[in-house]
Amino acid sequence: MTDRDPLYHRHRFAAEIIAHAVWLYFRFPLSLRMVEDMLAARGIFVSHQTVRLWAEKFGRAFANDIHRRTAGRLGDKWHLDEIVVSISGQKHWLWRAVDQDGFVLDALVQSRRNAKPAKRLMRKLLKGKGRAPRVMITDKLRSYDAARREIMPSVEHRSHKGLNNRAENSHQPIRRRERIMKRFKSLRHLQRFVSIHDPIANLFYIPRHDMTSNHHRELRSAAMDMWAQIARI
């Protein structure tokens, strides 16, 4: 037996197995039972409930570590957008911000679509990033401009639906996961999932425009090496 990292204390499975299960769940649009079957195919027998517990505990630790490593390194142009999410038959709104390169800055789940949640998202972004953006890009929703005038009055605001495709595209992974999971069960469930999923997705997000295959493979290999450090394996 070798010494284990304290993060994995009292867990009987190897750190590599736990980290791999968490990576599968958040990296790809897989359900808990799909991850259970993929592990079983390799002779690793765990229940989907165990995978869920691993995802919540270790996924949170990994996401927090990624946040610390990327602090201050993301872009200064914020694209803000919101989508409707149906939870228990009621409409809720997932507000999201991404930078000019497509990396997710933050996400917030709210029950309303007005200036109040827009202000909450901007305050959360300012607290997490420590500085205001150079420019903010949104669609035509007036709540953004009302919130900006109060929270960030000096920031340039560009409001045009065609300019905000980058933020709208960032919702696609959540839409795919929503179908796989047969909808999210509660606001807390959705907020917990996106707060873990988005930092891990950022780590493995590699824009493909104007990039050679060799460069792409190098970046993907670097992301996997970084994941091994974060997972402490």
Side-chain angles (χ1 to χ4, degrees):
M1 295 291 291
T2 58
D3 292 337
R4 306 188 71 187
D5 189 279
L7 178 64
Y8 298 96
H9 183 58
R10 295 185 180 276
H11 287 269
R12 66 186 181 91
F13 283 92
E16 291 81 358
I17 293 174
I18 297 175
H20 185 64
V22 175
W23 178 75
L24 285 173
Y25 182 66
F26 288 109
R27 180 68 182 89
F28 306 102
L30 301 173
S31 67
L32 295 169
R33 285 179 172 81
M34 289 177 182
V35 176
E36 176 186 356
D37 290 343
M38 293 178 72
L39 293 176
R42 297 191 174 193
I44 304 167
F45 300 102
V46 297
S47 69
H48 67 278
Q49 291 291 351
T50 298
V51 176
R52 179 181 63 81
L53 294 174
W54 288 351
E56 292 178 1
K57 175 182 178 180
F58 296 99
R60 172 62 58 198
F62 300 160
N64 290 342
D65 197 346
I66 294 171
H67 267 306
R68 288 192 292 269
R69 292 170 184 262
T70 58
R73 298 175 60 183
L74 298 180
D76 59 355
K77 181 187 290 187
W78 294 359
H79 295 253
L80 277 63
D81 192 48
E82 77 292 336
I83 58 169
V84 63
V85 180
S86 180
I87 300 176
S88 300
Q90 296 184 346
K91 286 185 177 181
H92 298 85
W93 299 90
L94 174 61
W95 299 72
R96 183 186 297 274
V98 303
D99 70 2
Q100 62 267 35
D101 298 314
F103 293 98
V104 180
L105 300 172
D106 217 327
L108 183 65
V109 183
Q110 295 287 287
S111 59
R112 296 184 181 277
R113 187 180 182 235
N114 53 28
K116 187 174 181 179
K119 293 176 187 177
R120 287 180 178 175
L121 177 61
M122 291 180 191
R123 290 192 182 102
K124 189 177 182 184
L125 287 166
L126 289 174
K127 182 179 179 180
K129 309 310 168 190
R131 57 184 173 85
R134 176 173 53 86
V135 60
M136 185 179 76
I137 299 174
T138 70
D139 56 20
K140 290 290 188 177
L141 183 66
R142 294 182 179 179
S143 300
Y144 288 115
D145 196 47
R148 181 199 60 83
R149 289 197 302 268
E150 180 175 334
I151 306 300
M152 303 180 296
S154 61
V155 172
E156 178 187 354
H157 180 209
R158 301 173 189 170
S159 177
H160 189 280
K161 186 173 179 61
L163 294 174
N164 213 30
N165 290 336
R166 191 170 297 280
E168 293 174 357
N169 291 340
S170 73
H171 297 303
Q172 293 178 4
I174 298 301
R175 288 301 194 199
R176 289 194 291 267
R177 185 55 66 102
E178 185 181 24
R179 290 192 293 270
I180 290 292
M181 300 172 68
K182 298 179 181 178
R183 299 189 182 277
F184 294 96
K185 305 302 184 291
S186 65
L187 270 73
R188 183 180 179 184
H189 180 208
L190 175 56
Q191 183 68 64
R192 183 172 63 240
F193 178 81
V194 296
S195 66
I196 299 174
H197 171 275
D198 290 347
I200 294 176
N202 280 348
L203 178 62
F204 292 97
Y205 174 69
I206 304 174
R208 290 303 299 263
H209 58 278
D210 297 332
M211 183 180 297
T212 65
S213 297
N214 287 336
H215 189 201
H216 183 268
R217 285 193 290 269
E218 290 173 359
L219 292 177
R220 184 171 57 193
S221 178
M224 293 303 301
D225 291 342
M226 182 64 69
W227 175 258
Q229 296 178 30
I230 291 168
R232 308 174 194 179
I233 54 177

